[in-house]
Amino acid sequence: MQMNRISKLALVGLILLCSVLTSFGELEFGHCERAVKKWADASSSSSSEEQYTNKDKRSLQDLLFFLHVPRTGGRTYFNCFLRKLYDNAEECPRSYDKLRFNPRKEKCKLLATHDDYSLMEMLPRDKTSVMTIVRDPVARVLSTYEFSVEVAARFLVHPNLTSAARMASRIRKKNVISTLDIWPWKYLVPWMREDLFARRDARKVKGVVIIEDDNPYDMEEMLMPLHKYLDTPTAHDIIHNGATFQIAGLTNNSHLAEAHEVRHCVQKYKSLGERVLQVAKRRLDSMLYVGLTEEHRESASLFANVVGSQVLSQVVASNLTAKNKNTKSEERDTVSESGSDKSEINNGTSEVASDKIEAKSGNMTVKTLMEIYEGCSTHLRKSQGTRRVNSLKRISPANFTTETRTRVPREVIQQIKTLNNLDVELYKYAKEIFVKEHELVSKKIIVSTSKRSIVDLQKVFGEMDDEKLWTVALMLLLFFLFFLFVHARRRRTSKVKI
């Protein structure tokens, strides 16, 4: 009897507890729903404002903001495109290498950084063009895992973790740019470094450890297996749906005070992610350029024709203005050439690379820009490949190549897609934008080429006298009659064969 009464009380208590938890869950969901909606509505109104002030998104504004999503090939674009088009003096302070900076520098024209879209709060919206590159979410997550391991493995030259951490802090004190200063690697690399040292210490305790598995994504003795990496709180907060959160401005590096709460709500309640996705899509719509890592050649060509051509046009225009100013000043007084040389040396412009000088003098074309990019990107890939091989030697036999990615189990690939559901949809949308922009630019190139051909022909015929024009016309007529004659003979021959 006593047991029955206790059981009933326990059951009632359990029901009450479940009710309280359910009510609390509903309250929390309601709070999250309101927080996400408030942020999305504010973002939508600012997006509408941007579209109103920048009616022609294809027109390059005074400042180009390269929103670099990690592991999309952005470093190649920065070094092989942007640095060929812009002088060092035109880069915003601490651009690309550092995340916190003052963009209000005079003549600041280029801002390239891993910072998210929330940075637009600090920039002049009506004078800023945004560009980005998007990558297939599965490839981006795998590349993030691989790069975290690669950079962390470089520290294994040290005898222990304390020594490695001390050396890392010493490098940063010397004001040398380190991967550890850059988001998200300042979180991911130390975390992976600690894991690699712990596993190395465990192997030393065990003695000789023979690793026979050839799958680098599942070498428990050597490094954190991929499937475990994907399920960690760090991966959930920084890596999964990283592109969507970065373009929406909601990373853990955001300038928005409400970013953490909104991101946390979306991570907890998947249904709320649709609002964030829609904001990210609108942001892509308003961008000057959206590239795709997988469409490497086509993306580079699109960049050269959309962004590169406009930067080069601005260079020509500014050079003409500067030339006119110099001509007027020379008429008024004489300027010392040695003084000019000194100012160039002081500003560091005398040591600019030859291809950059060519761009600044207005001699570079879209074609030469592409040639420079191809040579530069090939060299960069080789040097990065060499460095990667040397880093991964320290965790041999683990190695990451295109071929080893085929060993990632299907269920793990599906796990990545599920965890990155927003990025999957955003990537599809980016592909649609890319196809439309590519078709539009291709048509413009064809029209432009046709116009140039007509102008060239007009020039050629315009320089001919009447006698030469009659000669050309007669030759064209004879060629046309000869073509008709050959075509008629072929038709008769084919009839005979039948």
Side-chain angles (χ1 to χ4, degrees), residues 145-164:
Y145 170 77
E146 293 163 3
F147 190 70
S148 300
V149 173
E150 176 195 337
V151 179
R154 294 172 194 166
F155 292 92
L156 290 173
V157 293
H158 296 280
N160 53 58
L161 185 60
T162 305
S163 172

Side-chain angles (χ1 to χ4, degrees), residues 243-263:
T244 303
F245 285 133
Q246 194 169 352
I247 292 168
L250 295 173
T251 66
N252 69 339
N253 193 52
S254 177
H255 294 269
L256 299 177
E258 66 271 25
H260 175 73
E261 182 183 27
V262 174
R263 187 178 70 258

Side-chain angles (χ1 to χ4, degrees), residues 401-413:
T401 63
T402 305
E403 192 275 328
T404 57
R405 286 194 181 183
T406 60
R407 298 173 200 167
V408 179
R410 287 184 181 179
E411 56 268 24
V412 176
I413 297 294

Side-chain angles (χ1 to χ4, degrees), residues 120-135:
M120 285 292 285
E121 298 292 323
M122 299 170 61
L123 304 175
R125 288 177 178 268
D126 59 329
K127 296 180 180 179
T128 303
S129 292
V130 188
M131 62 167 281
T132 194
I133 305 170
V134 186
R135 187 176 188 178

Side-chain angles (χ1 to χ4, degrees), residues 267-285:
Q267 288 167 342
K268 189 168 185 177
Y269 303 106
K270 300 295 182 186
S271 61
L272 300 178
E274 184 61 28
R275 288 185 181 274
V276 175
L277 179 62
Q278 292 308 315
V279 170
K281 284 181 178 180
R282 283 195 295 271
R283 298 265 164 86
L284 288 182
D285 280 330

Side-chain angles (χ1 to χ4, degrees), residues 43-77:
S43 300
S44 298
S45 62
S46 64
S47 296
S48 302
E49 198 176 307
E50 277 176 47
Q51 288 175 357
Y52 179 77
T53 52
N54 282 333
K55 289 182 180 178
D56 185 9
K57 73 162 191 171
R58 294 183 180 87
S59 178
L60 177 65
Q61 302 303 315
D62 297 342
L63 174 63
L64 177 61
F65 171 24
F66 176 23
L67 192 158
H68 179 190
V69 178
R71 308 313 295 166
T72 57
R75 183 173 287 275
T76 304
Y77 269 62

